[in-house]
Amino acid sequence: MTVVPEEILTICRKRMEPFDCEGFVNGRGPLDPILMIVGEAPGETEIHNGIPFSGRAGKVLDEWFRYVGVGREDIYFTSAVRSRPFKRVDKKRKDGRVERKWVNRAPNMKEQFAHAAILDYELAHVRPKQVVTLGNIGLQRLVGRKYSISSVHGTSIRTKLKCLKDYERREWGETEGEYSLFPTFHPASIFYNRSLEKDIYRDLDKLRQILSDKGVF
Ligand code: URA
């Protein structure tokens, strides 16, 4: 279950109110897990059942970590934003009628800032052996724009992480300590680009080796 105190959750929920985001899903998992997964934001399925990564992308993630040899019970799941960012899309159908949909979108910087205290708290208290970021949003929330997923996926980065310095003045700072980061692609990326799968499984082989070197297996 989440480790984040109710007062932090309340402030963050309030800060998200001005934005087009719905629902709220707590981070989930044990303290001292093998992995902490940092994704982007929950989707529709997660908003309805409250379980992180329980939708289509979550099924892919389950396959990945079965391959690595780490079960859900050894993973803490969280993301840059804990609500679902949406946008309106109007699609004109053949019969001329307009179909209106509210689709997922990536959280912007203001939204990431609104929920930043949640992820900061989780990083400070969950104590994973390895942090794994999924996609550019998870990666850049923690290290800024100096890295992009296409250039650093599958590498282990020992680094301080981006965290709130001054919540009121909206300033970002850095953690005191360093963390072990392993970026890979977001599981939803293979829905648009199947050919990424080869790279991803190479990343997962490296992750297994890193965990083995840390004495996890
Ligand atoms: N993507 C995320 O980042 N989190 C979820 O819970 C689902 C999809």
Side-chain angles (χ1 to χ4, degrees):
M1 282 298 122
T2 186
V3 294
V4 184
E6 196 51 49
E7 65 212 80
I8 293 182
L9 297 176
T10 305
I11 292 170
C12 291
R13 281 201 193 99
K14 185 113 202 87
R15 294 214 163 215
M16 192 59 99
E17 279 174 7
F19 306 114
D20 283 340
C21 289
E22 65 162 352
F24 188 90
V25 181
N26 277 315
R28 178 187 278 237
L31 287 176
D32 300 305
I34 297 174
L35 299 178
M36 182 183 207
I37 303 291
V38 181
E40 185 173 305
E44 246 176 303
T45 308
E46 289 81 12
I47 291 302
H48 284 118
N49 66 19
I51 303 170
F53 285 102
S54 48
R56 206 168 150 224
K59 303 276 174 294
V60 174
L61 203 59
D62 285 343
E63 272 174 40
W64 291 1
F65 290 109
R66 206 172 303 127
Y67 178 80
V68 173
V70 180
R72 271 204 175 231
E73 66 283 2
D74 290 314
I75 303 177
Y76 188 96
F77 293 91
T78 187
S79 51
V81 159
R82 305 300 314 143
S83 298
R84 173 187 172 240
F86 59 83
K87 68 177 175 199
R88 196 179 89 185
V89 174
D90 289 342
K91 213 169 143 196
K92 202 154 182 203
R93 299 192 328 190
K94 277 195 192 127
D95 63 7
R97 282 171 48 198
V98 173
E99 191 184 357
R100 177 159 295 176
K101 279 190 175 174
W102 302 90
V103 301
N104 296 347
R105 62 173 170 79
N108 62 37
M109 282 312 292
K110 285 185 179 165
E111 291 158 349
Q112 291 182 41
F113 197 93
H115 277 184
I118 297 174
L119 183 51
D120 289 353
Y121 191 94
E122 290 172 315
L123 282 161
H125 293 85
V126 172
R127 301 180 304 269
K129 294 206 168 43
Q130 180 69 51
V131 178
V132 176
T133 58
L134 303 176
N136 259 328
I137 298 285
L139 171 67
Q140 293 180 345
R141 160 62 179 86
L142 293 183
V143 295
R145 296 250 164 97
K146 63 179 183 249
Y147 294 116
S148 79
I149 191 67
S150 51
S151 51
V152 294
H153 71 91
T155 61
S156 176
I157 308 172
R158 185 93 197 142
T159 179
K160 293 186 174 195
L161 300 180
K162 199 173 137 188
C163 66
L164 291 178
K165 183 167 148 201
D166 184 327
Y167 201 59
E168 288 312 317
R169 283 163 47 218
R170 295 174 190 269
E171 271 183 44
W172 291 101
E174 244 184 9
T175 54
E176 262 175 44
E178 294 189 330
Y179 288 73
S180 199
L181 264 201
F182 185 89
T184 191
F185 295 94
H186 193 281
S189 61
I190 63 163
F191 303 147
Y192 314 105
N193 184 0
R194 268 275 154 198
S195 67
L196 281 178
E197 223 164 13
K198 246 200 238 147
D199 283 341
I200 291 167
Y201 274 86
R202 243 180 260 134
D203 289 359
L204 297 178
D205 287 336
K206 287 188 199 150
L207 178 60
R208 192 197 286 124
Q209 187 59 51
I210 289 168
L211 294 179
S212 166
D213 293 346
K214 288 183 187 217
V216 166
F217 303 124

